[in-house]
C-alpha cells in the first residue's frame, strides 16, 4: 500500500511539472514571436558551394549578397580575402533590409576580415572596392577594404562608393586607395569610428 501511495504521489508531481512546462512555453510564445532571421558565415578558407554555416562557410562577399535577406546577419571570419573581380564587391540589384529588419554584414567578434584588391584596376563608372548602390537598411561593421588601384587620369576610384539610404558604417577602414576613401550620395548615411588611410590619386599632379 505504501508503494502504491508513493507511486501515486510521484505521478501527481510529474503531472504538475509537465503542466508548468506547458504553461511556461505558452507564455514565452505569447510574448516572443521573432521575425525571420538567418545567420550566415563567410571565411577565406570557405567555399561558395557550402551552406554558409559556421562549419561550412562561404568564401566570397558576393555569395553572401545573393542570399542574405531582410533581418539576416552575415559574419565574416578574420583573414585576407583576395578580390579578383573587376566589378569589386557590388551590392547593385541585391536585397535591401527594412526599418525593423536590416541586413548586417559584420566581422566575427574579435576578428578582422580584410578585402584586398591587390591594386586591381576596377571597371565601370564609379569604380570602387565596395559599391553600395541602390540598396537600403544595411549595416556594416568591422571590415577593411584595401589596395584599390587607379587605372588612368580622370578615373578616380574609391574604397567605398555609396548611393543608397539608411546605411550604417561602424569601425570600417579603407586603406591604400589610388583615389578617395569614401564617395557618398544618399540619405541617412551614418558613420561611427571609421577611417580612411593612405588614399590619394596617383595619376594627379596634385594628389
Amino acid at each position: 500500500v505504501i508503494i502504491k501511495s508513493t507511486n501515486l504521489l510521484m505521478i501527481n508531481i510529474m503531472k504538475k511539472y509537465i503542466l508548468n512546462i506547458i504553461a511556461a512555453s505558452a507564455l514565452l510564445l505569447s510574448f516572443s514571436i521573432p521575425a525571420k532571421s538567418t545567420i550566415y558565415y563567410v571565411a577565406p578558407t570557405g567555399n561558395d558551394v557550402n551552406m554558409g554555416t559556421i562549419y561550412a562557410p562561404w568564401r566570397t562577399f558576393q555569395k553572401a549578397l545573393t542570399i542574405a535577406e531582410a533581418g539576416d546577419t552575415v559574419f565574416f571570419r578574420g583573414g585576407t580575402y583576395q578580390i579578383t573581380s573587376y566589378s569589386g564587391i557590388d551590392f547593385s540589384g541585391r536585397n535591401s533590409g527594412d526599418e525593423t529588419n536590416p541586413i548586417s554584414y559584420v566581422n566575427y567578434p574579435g576578428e578582422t576580415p580584410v578585402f584586398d584588391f591587390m591594386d586591381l584596376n576596377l571597371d565601370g563608372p564609379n569604380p570602387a572596392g565596395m559599391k553600395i548602390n541602390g540598396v537600403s537598411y544595411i549595416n556594416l561593421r568591422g571590415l577593411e577594404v584595401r589596395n584599390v588601384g587607379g587605372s588612368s587620369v580622370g578615373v578616380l576610384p574609391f574604397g567605398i562608393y555609396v548611393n543608397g539610404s539608411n546605411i550604417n558604417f561602424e569601425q570600417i577602414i579603407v586603406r591604400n586607395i589610388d583615389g578617395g576613401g569614401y564617395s557618398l550620395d544618399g540619405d541617412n548615411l551614418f558613420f561611427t569610428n571609421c577611417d580612411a588611410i593612405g588614399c590619394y590619386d596617383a595619376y594627379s599632379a596634385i594628389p
Side-chain angles (χ1 to χ4, degrees), residues 57-70:
W58 297 320
R59 185 179 180 86
T60 67
F61 206 126
Q62 213 61 36
K63 175 66 176 183
L65 290 175
T66 64
I67 301 296
E69 299 179 343

Side-chain angles (χ1 to χ4, degrees), residues 64-87:
L65 290 175
T66 64
I67 301 296
E69 299 179 343
D72 291 347
T73 297
V74 180
F75 283 106
F76 291 87
R77 302 304 303 265
T80 300
Y81 298 77
Q82 294 186 345
I83 308 299
T84 58
S85 169
Y86 287 95
S87 299

